[in-house]
Amino acid sequence: MPPALHTDLTAALRPLLTELHHTPDLFQTWDAHLELVAAGGLVVVKSKRAKGLVDSLFWGRAPGSSENKQLPEAIAFAAIDRFLGLSAHLALSDALPEAAVLDAAYPHCAVKFAYRKKGAPKAQSLSMIFIGFNDEAEALAYAERSSGLPLVTSRPLMGEKLHEWR
């Protein structure tokens, strides 16, 4: 079965995270944890608002380094935004099999995001691991080469740990 592309999902997630970054007052609560691995580097965004208090941490690791450093919020969100702006995305449907690793040549991002906007009837949550590509042909070629990866083949994905919007 061919893999399911998630470009529509990442296209919807991108403005939502931009809104969270620029106008957090629109959200009643949120819990965002994003980890982006790209070009040998790491960018992590952790931000939470609960009971009116906001706790955020933005850090990363440069390619070839083992030392983590705090990042400005704008730089961390810009890196995530660039990833979500790629032309095609695949997603994992489950945890990687033991000893399997994702190809470091392709950026990948783990997203665990729960939020409730002010006035919204309920909270929404998303838990996915995305792999980014320059175009759809590149994504499908990657999926063909990586037959051992548990890629999402039907949507919406509703697994125990990884899921599209709930």
Side-chain angles (χ1 to χ4, degrees), residues 115-137:
Y115 74 95
R116 183 174 183 180
K117 283 196 168 185
K118 289 183 177 174
K122 64 178 187 170
Q124 299 247 353
S125 71
L126 172 77
S127 181
M128 300 287 289
I129 300 172
F130 296 106
I131 307 167
F133 302 92
N134 291 322
D135 57 36
E136 190 174 318

Side-chain angles (χ1 to χ4, degrees), residues 11-12 14-15 23 34 45 57 88 95 98 102 110-111 113-114 123 128 131 133 135 143 146 157 162 166:
R14 188 178 189 196
T23 52
L34 297 95
V45 170
L57 181 62
E98 198 170 316
L102 293 175
V111 176
F113 182 45
M128 300 287 289
I131 307 167
F133 302 92
D135 57 36
S146 307
L157 172 67
L162 299 177
R166 284 188 184 165

Side-chain angles (χ1 to χ4, degrees), residues 19 35 40 59 67 74 76-77 80 87 98 111 164:
E19 202 173 43
E35 295 188 18
W59 58 274
E67 183 180 343
F77 271 103
I80 300 293
S87 295
E98 198 170 316
V111 176
E164 289 187 39

